[in-house]
Amino acid sequence: MREFWELQEKILSAFGQVEPENPVLRVRNITQTSLTLEWDALKLHTSKLRSLDIYKNDTKLAQHVPNNTNYIKLSGLEVDHEYEFHIVIKTTAGRYESNRVHVRTHKMENLTGISVAFGKFEQEEAVITELKELLDKMGAHWSEQVTTDTTHLIAQQPGGDNYDKAMMSSIPVVKPDWLIQCDKNSKIQPALPYYIVNVPISNE
């Protein structure tokens, strides 16, 4: 009987007393009006996750975060404004709070938050090479595929996988001149005047 209770004590020590760890939060990308928050994979040990909530300036946000996701993109923020964020997880073992991160959204003159992907072009290789060089000069970012950090899709024509993904994610699809004007004016430009509109061609 003594061996049985010793075994139970070992099991309790190994599994029953390991509490979840506090989440580790950071900012992955930031622009003038949006940012992406990211956290390490949750270490729940023997407990189970009940909910995960995002807090902005100590106010819980309404955005739902799926259990298998470790990031969230927040938009509609004010330009050049300071915010504090943290996350709270509720588990079967209790409530655990992350570290608090303090961030300031970019000023209009800060172009480093721009992160673009590329769509269809008439002369794809030459144009994209020039745009990549311009982005590098500006300190901005680019990727071959549309991701959660993509702020704009640059293209000359509608169509293609990146175009479809951008449309599904409400990412602005703009002409190359948008980027050129951002650089020329040293300030991020409104996307609307540079939108690509897929207008049906009339047979008449």
Side-chain angles (χ1 to χ4, degrees), residues 105-187:
T105 50
H106 288 174
K107 295 180 179 180
M108 297 302 289
E109 296 80 10
N110 188 336
L111 303 176
T112 60
I114 294 174
S115 181
V116 310
F118 304 101
K120 293 180 67 175
F121 292 84
E122 294 174 2
Q123 296 178 320
E124 186 168 317
E125 186 173 346
V127 175
I128 291 180
T129 298
E130 290 182 6
L131 292 174
K132 287 178 178 178
E133 291 174 355
L134 181 57
L135 287 160
D136 291 340
K137 188 192 84 167
M138 294 163 57
H141 308 277
W142 56 269
S143 62
E144 300 295 344
Q145 304 294 325
V146 171
T147 70
T148 55
D149 293 330
T150 301
T151 60
H152 299 78
L153 181 75
I154 299 180
Q156 291 176 329
Q157 302 170 340
D161 290 342
N162 276 351
Y163 179 83
D164 293 339
K165 291 177 183 177
M167 296 299 289
M168 289 178 60
S169 302
S170 300
I171 295 171
V173 182
V174 294
K175 302 171 185 176
D177 195 45
W178 171 80
L179 187 66
I180 294 169
Q181 293 302 317
C182 287
D183 179 59
K184 181 178 179 180
N185 293 280
S186 299
K187 180 185 294 186

Side-chain angles (χ1 to χ4, degrees), residues 23-142:
V24 178
L25 181 67
R26 57 186 169 272
V27 177
R28 190 168 75 188
N29 189 53
I30 187 166
T31 71
Q32 281 76 9
T33 59
S34 68
L35 58 80
T36 302
L37 293 174
E38 183 181 54
W39 50 93
D40 292 345
L42 300 178
K43 297 180 180 179
L44 304 176
H45 298 296
T46 56
S47 68
K48 293 183 179 181
L49 181 66
R50 288 179 171 169
S51 66
L52 186 153
D53 296 309
I54 310 291
Y55 284 78
K56 179 180 73 175
N57 297 338
D58 284 323
T59 299
K60 186 168 78 170
L61 302 181
Q63 280 92 334
H64 172 69
V65 181
N67 288 348
N68 59 345
T69 301
N70 74 322
Y71 67 88
I72 186 170
K73 188 171 184 177
L74 303 175
S75 57
L77 305 177
E78 295 183 35
V79 176
D80 191 24
H81 193 82
E82 188 169 332
Y83 295 93
E84 179 189 81
F85 293 94
H86 71 281
I87 63 176
V88 171
I89 60 171
K90 293 179 181 177
T91 75
T92 52
R95 179 182 185 276
Y96 298 85
E97 183 175 316
S98 76
N99 56 303
R100 295 178 178 240
V101 294
H102 295 82
V103 297
R104 178 177 287 276
T105 50
H106 288 174
K107 295 180 179 180
M108 297 302 289
E109 296 80 10
N110 188 336
L111 303 176
T112 60
I114 294 174
S115 181
V116 310
F118 304 101
K120 293 180 67 175
F121 292 84
E122 294 174 2
Q123 296 178 320
E124 186 168 317
E125 186 173 346
V127 175
I128 291 180
T129 298
E130 290 182 6
L131 292 174
K132 287 178 178 178
E133 291 174 355
L134 181 57
L135 287 160
D136 291 340
K137 188 192 84 167
M138 294 163 57
H141 308 277
W142 56 269

